[in-house]
Amino acid sequence: MTANDTIRLLILNDSQAEAERLISMLQNAGKPNRAQHVTSADSLAKLLEDQAWDLLIAHEKTQNLAPASAIQQIRRLNKDVPVILLTDEQGSQVVVEGLKLGAVDVVQLDEDQHLLFVINREMANRYQRQEKRIADRLFRESERRAQSLLDSSRDAIAYVQDGLYLYANESFAELFAYEDKDDIDCMPIMDMVAERDQKTLKDFIKEFTLKGVDAESSQLQFSGLKQDGSETNIALEVNHATYDDEPCLQFLAKATKQDGASAEELEAVKSLDVVTGLYNRSYMMGQTNKVINNIGDDQTRALLYIDIDDYADAIQGKFGVSGADEAITDLAKLFTELKHDSEILARFGDSSFTLLTNTTTASEAVKRAEKISSQVAEHIIDIDNVTLQVTASIGVSVINENSSKAETAIEQALDAMEKARASSECQALLYEPPMSDEERQEKNLLSEVREALANDLFRLMFQPIISLRGSDEEYYEVLVRLESATGDKLSPEGFIDAAADAGIGTKVDRWIVLESIKMLSEHRARGNQTKLIVNLNRVSVCDETLVPWLGVAFKAAGLPTDAIIFQVQERDVTNHLNAAKALNNGLLKIGSMMSISSFGCSLNPFNTLKHVDAKVIKVDGSFTQDIQSKSESPEGLSQLLAELHEHERVTIVPFVENASVLSTLWQAGVHYIQGHYLQEPTESMSYDFNMEG
């Protein structure tokens, strides 16, 4: 690619103005581009299918179409379109999340110079991938032609390695009167040599091999054994060679006559299925490779894998082999009528057919497959005056400039067919790339979260927060656990973020809040003045309807609004300062308050407090853990606490695991402590706060 080549660009952004700014920026930077603004999943699918694109630039917070969905759509259509994400957020976490989604990079919004470097890199990478694909195709085509020449050659040719035949063509098999050349594959060469000549042959091969690749061509004569055990005189030319990337010896016997059927006639017979007269598996593989090797960047074809359902029991088991052949022949005629001119139809297996379509799109290919499936279901087969109706499951794989080889296309179509067969909703499916282990784990986790919301499988745990200053206030932090299908209780580190990413974080938080209010109301009804600290995830921080909803919830439960403090992590406050400020102010208005947890990890944590005036601060647990487990100096924690106390903040120190740190925390003026040393989280609010007095 040269600097003046036009970039075919897709832009995924809710803001039309930002999309136009991006286009203008690229033009001004000397990057001519032809851009399209993506507004929905359907528009993206149509654009990807209609033409080739070089790049997609997406804002990571788009609402019309999530970048994750766009990336999955690109994978689904097997397109080489790198995705660059733009973000408003600071820090490495958003970059990590973007790369996990499948983006090639994540760039800060308005960091145009950085973006230009990334675009240059990805365009160069794409060009290299394209060149590699072309080289791979040329290489495969040359290999295919060489293999075809070997297979059809009247010269007898075989390749030998470590005393075994790696390959032998039909002509070589004929030398030894073998009916099928496959019978020779992996056979020891000595099995085809008369016993009296075996030592001579062994010595010859050993000596010739030791000479290495510099050895000149040599003649070899011996008495060979035919398949029936009779002997024949064999004269071969021996050379060093490479076959299938393996160093080996080549045995060659020049043809002395050209009688019998022509090579073309033999090839035609070898390409056909005996029962149906359709092309066979071998021919389909060769033609598919040929299509892959010659397909253009703007072309898309499809391979349909059609498999007859319940073939073994419903057809073969009921009508026998001859009846099954009749049924398959009948279906072959149906598929022949349904195929278009110049398309390639083959019988691929006992009950399967493959159809290599003309130029099409993925969506058109799936519709075609669905129609064929319906036509099979409506078709009536007559076997000896007994009628039969069958169904077929069809898998579709896309063949375009990214396709590598026929085996891959077949495997993808077969995978899609098996998923269609397992589905109760459809008979035809397009191949979907498999999820990574991480994606699969996240999907399973989300499924469990949704299941927990629907069936109340979340469990609340309560850990006491103890005063070091003699306060009468009784606090518990509410911790949530997810009861998995196996009965294990999962901690929130994974599933809370997963729920937030999937857009159901607000639902999870509201379930926790309502359940906390309910359990606290029951606890306070027994004469306790207990208060709770309830955590909110980043989605709730940005939810403008949360505070009004909380006011209604408190009122409905008859619970004072100061009975619950709502806690937000420092990173979520830093990333959403305006939203966090609005939340804090809203909570103060209804008589509640905000706590900031994991405090002290940002470069300038106190800058956050200038914008969000939270009265309760829980410092990050790493400070306490380092003092207890690594014997680090408590000076850093003491300085942080001293500054917080200067700002008149109520401080909580978590992860107190042993008594050794208590004196340090007392001297530092800490208000409250929390940790397993005091009590592990339990399912009830049962801690005796009086014993601390």
Side-chain angles (χ1 to χ4, degrees), residues 78 140 284-285 287-293 295 301-306 348 353-357 394-400 402-417 429-432:
N78 194 30
R140 287 195 302 272
M284 174 58 81
M285 296 293 284
Q287 291 300 304
T288 304
N289 271 323
K290 191 177 291 186
V291 166
I292 290 172
N293 292 338
I295 201 162
R301 297 179 71 170
L303 191 140
L304 276 58
Y305 192 103
I306 308 166
F348 203 77
F353 299 82
T354 49
L355 178 66
L356 184 58
T357 73
I394 305 178
V396 181
S397 65
V398 170
I399 294 177
N400 56 22
N402 284 325
S403 300
S404 58
K405 55 186 178 179
E407 288 83 355
T408 302
I410 292 291
E411 286 170 6
Q412 291 176 349
L414 176 60
D415 179 79
M417 182 279 295
L429 283 176
L430 179 67
Y431 169 74
E432 297 276 357

Side-chain angles (χ1 to χ4, degrees), residues 321-447:
V321 175
S322 61
D325 284 349
E326 282 188 54
I328 287 297
T329 301
D330 188 286
L331 288 167
K333 291 176 182 176
L334 172 65
F335 295 139
T336 301
E337 293 170 2
L338 298 178
K339 91 176 185 70
H340 299 159
D341 291 343
S342 74
E343 292 185 332
I344 301 171
L345 174 67
R347 185 185 182 193
F348 203 77
D350 287 346
S351 62
S352 60
F353 299 82
T354 49
L355 178 66
L356 184 58
T357 73
N358 296 327
T359 301
T360 185
T361 64
S363 55
E364 288 171 352
V366 173
K367 289 177 183 175
R368 174 98 179 274
E370 289 170 344
K371 186 176 180 180
I372 291 174
S373 177
S374 298
Q375 289 166 313
V376 170
E378 294 169 2
H379 182 68
I380 297 174
I381 303 170
D382 193 318
I383 304 174
D384 295 332
N385 297 321
V386 178
T387 57
L388 171 70
Q389 285 185 280
V390 297
T391 58
S393 300
I394 305 178
V396 181
S397 65
V398 170
I399 294 177
N400 56 22
E401 72 276 8
N402 284 325
S403 300
S404 58
K405 55 186 178 179
E407 288 83 355
T408 302
I410 292 291
E411 286 170 6
Q412 291 176 349
L414 176 60
D415 179 79
M417 182 279 295
E418 289 172 345
K419 286 184 171 64
R421 175 167 288 162
S423 170
S424 59
E425 299 177 357
C426 54
Q427 289 293 107
L429 283 176
L430 179 67
Y431 169 74
E432 297 276 357
M435 291 184 292
S436 65
D437 291 341
E438 195 170 71
E439 289 173 326
R440 189 177 294 106
Q441 183 179 5
E442 186 168 325
K443 183 178 179 180
N444 293 339
L445 198 56
L446 279 174
S447 177

Side-chain angles (χ1 to χ4, degrees), residues 242-306:
T242 300
Y243 181 80
D244 199 18
D245 295 330
E246 296 286 342
C248 58
L249 300 181
Q250 182 193 64
F251 288 176
L252 170 65
K254 294 287 187 180
T256 58
K257 58 182 180 177
Q258 289 284 352
D259 51 5
S262 67
E264 291 78 9
E265 291 171 329
L266 289 172
E267 188 63 32
V269 172
K270 285 164 49 180
S271 299
L272 298 179
D273 174 61
V274 176
V275 175
T276 63
L278 298 178
Y279 289 120
N280 59 19
R281 179 192 188 105
S282 176
Y283 183 82
M284 174 58 81
M285 296 293 284
Q287 291 300 304
T288 304
N289 271 323
K290 191 177 291 186
V291 166
I292 290 172
N293 292 338
N294 294 291
I295 201 162
D297 283 351
D298 56 349
Q299 287 182 300
T300 299
R301 297 179 71 170
L303 191 140
L304 276 58
Y305 192 103
I306 308 166

Side-chain angles (χ1 to χ4, degrees), residues 125-356:
N125 288 346
R126 190 179 187 280
Y127 176 75
Q128 293 296 330
R129 289 194 299 272
Q130 191 174 30
E131 289 294 292
K132 182 180 181 298
R133 285 194 292 268
I134 293 171
D136 287 344
R137 288 175 191 167
L138 293 173
F139 178 69
R140 287 195 302 272
E141 180 62 18
S142 65
E143 281 196 322
R144 187 193 66 78
R145 288 176 181 168
Q147 187 65 52
S148 178
L149 288 171
L150 284 173
D151 291 341
S152 61
S153 175
R154 296 306 301 164
D155 292 340
I157 304 171
Y159 292 97
V160 175
Q161 183 186 58
D162 297 331
L164 300 176
Y165 283 106
L166 289 177
Y167 164 85
N169 66 1
E170 293 285 0
S171 299
F172 194 88
E174 289 172 6
L175 278 181
F176 294 86
Y178 278 78
E179 293 181 3
D180 190 344
K181 69 182 183 68
D182 292 339
D183 292 339
I184 300 176
D185 287 351
C186 298
M187 179 184 287
I189 60 175
M190 293 305 164
D191 287 0
M192 297 165 63
V193 179
E195 187 174 353
R196 63 179 178 276
D197 287 341
Q198 287 186 3
K199 184 178 185 308
T200 302
L201 189 64
K202 287 180 182 177
D203 292 341
F204 173 87
I205 291 176
K206 181 178 180 181
E207 183 180 352
F208 191 82
T209 303
L210 288 173
K211 289 180 181 178
V213 294
D214 295 329
E216 295 182 359
S217 175
S218 298
Q219 298 297 319
L220 174 63
Q221 293 185 350
F222 59 91
S223 292
L225 292 179
K226 295 181 181 180
Q227 190 171 23
D228 62 5
S230 61
E231 294 188 9
T232 181
N233 292 323
I234 302 294
L236 299 176
E237 182 181 308
V238 183
N239 292 282
H240 282 282
T242 300
Y243 181 80
D244 199 18
D245 295 330
E246 296 286 342
C248 58
L249 300 181
Q250 182 193 64
F251 288 176
L252 170 65
K254 294 287 187 180
T256 58
K257 58 182 180 177
Q258 289 284 352
D259 51 5
S262 67
E264 291 78 9
E265 291 171 329
L266 289 172
E267 188 63 32
V269 172
K270 285 164 49 180
S271 299
L272 298 179
D273 174 61
V274 176
V275 175
T276 63
L278 298 178
Y279 289 120
N280 59 19
R281 179 192 188 105
S282 176
Y283 183 82
M284 174 58 81
M285 296 293 284
Q287 291 300 304
T288 304
N289 271 323
K290 191 177 291 186
V291 166
I292 290 172
N293 292 338
N294 294 291
I295 201 162
D297 283 351
D298 56 349
Q299 287 182 300
T300 299
R301 297 179 71 170
L303 191 140
L304 276 58
Y305 192 103
I306 308 166
D307 199 47
I308 307 306
D309 297 327
D310 202 23
Y311 171 79
D313 294 332
I315 301 179
Q316 206 170 47
K318 186 175 181 181
F319 296 97
V321 175
S322 61
D325 284 349
E326 282 188 54
I328 287 297
T329 301
D330 188 286
L331 288 167
K333 291 176 182 176
L334 172 65
F335 295 139
T336 301
E337 293 170 2
L338 298 178
K339 91 176 185 70
H340 299 159
D341 291 343
S342 74
E343 292 185 332
I344 301 171
L345 174 67
R347 185 185 182 193
F348 203 77
D350 287 346
S351 62
S352 60
F353 299 82
T354 49
L355 178 66
L356 184 58

